[in-house]
Amino acid sequence: MTNQNVVVPNARKGVDITIAMALSKSLFSPVVPKPLPAAPGGYFTISRKMFAKKTETGGKTNSWADSMRDSSPTRVKSTTSLSEIEEKNTWIVNHPSALSTFEQIVNGSKGKQIVMFLDYDGTLSPIVEDPDRAFMTNEMREAVRDVARYFPTAIVTGRCRDKVYSFVRLAGLYYAGSHGMDIKGPSKNCCRNKKDYQGVLFQPASEFLPMIDEVYNVLLERTKYIPGARVEDNKFCISVHFRCVEEKMWAALVEQVRSVLNGYPKLRLTQGRKVLEIRPTIKWDKGKALEFLLESLGYANSTDVLPVYIGDDRTDEDAFKVLRNRGQGLGILVSKVPKETNASYSLQEPTEASSVI
């Protein structure tokens, strides 16, 4: 496989901007972004050094169904036991609310360049029955627009990049679709000064597109007999939503998906929140996308950068883990129930996320 480079135009040199207005709605105080380091000719390149193949083997169908049941409860309990209350209290101590620790987070961000990474479903929008109607509120859009005025901001999602852009409708952001396998940065047209734009386009799994398209069509046929099943083409990956499938049919759905994938060893099956994900067997995920974007922005080795990642799903754990291993940055999990996570802080629901952003 050939080595792929990404070319990013250099920002205008000598940028000297002072932001006097405080962000009353944000946890963070804005700081002046650093100019991107340029190679001769005003460009720098980023080698695809982390791009490598790997294979994974799935578990048995029953194990998949059990896992789906654990991570995607179909009903809310009417009562809570004392042990569950104690468990939640302990979890909150270890993963305190980002709202209640507002002052502590603000103090830790002083003098640092904030870079915001935001998941979409379950973070910027609620989880809904119809994935095509996962709309964000106007309040949330305004919150994202405000934070993007001061900090580099990326939407990192399992969705198709074009689909999530149609939901967010904000230029000037980085969009990392298909779990980071389709990354595009701001274009010239979205910037006030066209010399300042940072054009990024990175698609490490392009060779898999014909295979993904073929599997998508096969899955449409195989799953149409399972009521409520929804297959979504996310370009570089496929989502099989089971949020509207009766729990007794989950095992049958997994069996159909796995039987299709048996003929495609270069694709792997993973699980998210009420969704099965089919992805290429390459070592690339939301954590790799976070690292790539930090490198694109010139902050890969910076000690005064503070990456902030807010997400709600298993797939976001790859990004939380990267921040924990770096010993630098904040991972914030959006969840109403205790979960094993590499995030440091928590929020209950998307409405709270809009207050944090």
Side-chain angles (χ1 to χ4, degrees):
M1 187 176 299
T2 58
N3 186 51
Q4 177 175 324
N5 290 330
V6 179
V7 181
V8 185
N10 181 40
R12 175 167 54 93
K13 295 182 180 179
V15 175
D16 185 12
I17 302 173
T18 302
I19 301 174
M21 184 179 71
L23 286 178
S24 59
K25 292 173 63 178
S26 174
L27 287 175
F28 313 105
S29 301
V31 297
V32 181
K34 294 182 177 180
L36 300 178
Y43 294 86
F44 70 87
T45 61
I46 299 171
S47 175
R48 192 173 61 178
K49 60 187 178 183
M50 294 180 288
F51 184 82
K53 290 186 176 181
K54 74 172 183 179
T55 58
E56 289 189 3
T57 57
K60 295 181 180 179
T61 300
N62 288 340
S63 298
W64 274 97
D66 291 340
S67 179
M68 291 160 68
R69 190 173 297 107
D70 291 340
S71 63
S72 307
T74 56
R75 61 187 67 85
V76 177
K77 293 182 179 180
S78 57
T79 59
T80 305
S81 67
L82 182 60
S83 62
E84 289 172 325
I85 293 174
E86 291 175 348
E87 178 187 358
K88 185 169 184 178
N89 289 341
T90 300
W91 189 84
I92 288 295
V93 169
N94 294 321
H95 308 89
S97 166
L99 292 179
S100 64
T101 54
F102 180 95
E103 186 174 349
Q104 175 185 338
I105 295 176
V106 169
N107 290 335
S109 71
K110 288 180 179 178
K112 296 183 180 294
Q113 168 64 59
I114 307 298
V115 183
M116 294 293 296
F117 298 91
L118 306 167
D119 176 41
Y120 186 77
D121 292 275
T123 300
L124 298 184
S125 76
I127 298 293
V128 295
E129 288 189 356
D130 184 354
D132 289 337
R133 300 190 63 80
F135 304 124
M136 64 194 305
T137 63
N138 290 332
E139 179 185 15
M140 180 66 82
R141 183 173 291 103
E142 283 300 313
V144 176
R145 177 185 286 113
D146 286 345
V147 78
R149 286 173 181 162
Y150 302 103
F151 316 127
T153 300
I155 308 296
V156 186
T157 174
R159 295 280 198 136
C160 171
R161 175 168 54 82
D162 291 339
K163 172 63 72 65
V164 81
Y165 182 83
S166 73
F167 287 147
V168 179
R169 303 197 308 274
L170 292 175
L173 276 63
Y174 292 84
Y175 288 88
S178 303
H179 299 285
M181 287 181 283
D182 188 11
I183 301 176
K184 189 173 183 180
S187 65
K188 283 184 178 181
N189 295 331
C190 76
C191 298
R192 295 175 184 173
N193 189 327
K194 294 183 180 181
K195 293 181 181 179
D196 292 342
Y197 83 100
Q198 303 144 17
V200 174
L201 180 62
F202 187 53
Q203 297 176 330
S206 296
E207 65 183 273
F208 290 89
L209 284 176
M211 186 183 301
I212 292 290
D213 187 59
E214 183 177 325
V215 171
Y216 170 71
N217 289 314
V218 174
L219 284 173
L220 281 178
E221 181 66 25
R222 291 285 191 90
T223 61
K224 68 181 183 181
Y225 304 105
I226 300 179
R230 177 79 174 269
V231 183
E232 184 178 12
D233 182 2
N234 287 316
K235 191 170 182 177
F236 292 96
C237 62
I238 300 170
S239 297
V240 181
H241 300 277
F242 59 88
R243 60 188 70 178
C244 295
V245 177
E246 290 188 23
E247 188 173 328
K248 64 182 180 181
M249 296 297 295
W250 287 0
L253 178 61
V254 173
E255 181 59 34
Q256 287 298 325
V257 174
R258 284 172 54 82
S259 67
V260 172
L261 291 186
N262 285 338
Y264 297 89
K266 291 186 177 181
L267 299 178
R268 62 189 172 110
L269 181 63
T270 62
Q271 183 189 328
R273 189 173 172 187
K274 295 192 176 181
V275 65
L276 298 172
E277 301 277 8
I278 297 163
R279 297 191 246 170
T281 53
I282 62 173
K283 195 173 182 180
W284 200 264
D285 51 41
K286 290 183 177 182
K288 297 296 185 185
L290 183 152
E291 291 178 316
F292 171 82
L293 284 168
L294 286 178
E295 191 168 357
S296 301
L297 291 164
Y299 299 128
N301 300 311
S302 175
T303 58
D304 57 1
V305 64
L306 185 68
V308 179
Y309 190 105
I310 307 178
D312 75 307
D313 204 350
R314 278 190 184 186
T315 58
D316 299 308
E317 289 298 325
D318 295 316
F320 294 149
K321 187 175 182 180
V322 165
L323 295 183
R324 186 172 288 275
N325 290 342
R326 284 173 63 96
Q328 182 186 43
L330 301 176
I332 303 175
L333 175 69
V334 182
S335 177
K336 288 184 177 181
V337 298
K339 293 180 180 180
E340 184 177 349
T341 180
N342 285 291
S344 301
Y345 295 89
S346 64
L347 292 168
Q348 291 285 305
E349 53 193 353
T351 54
E352 289 192 353
S354 67
S355 300
V356 170
I357 297 172

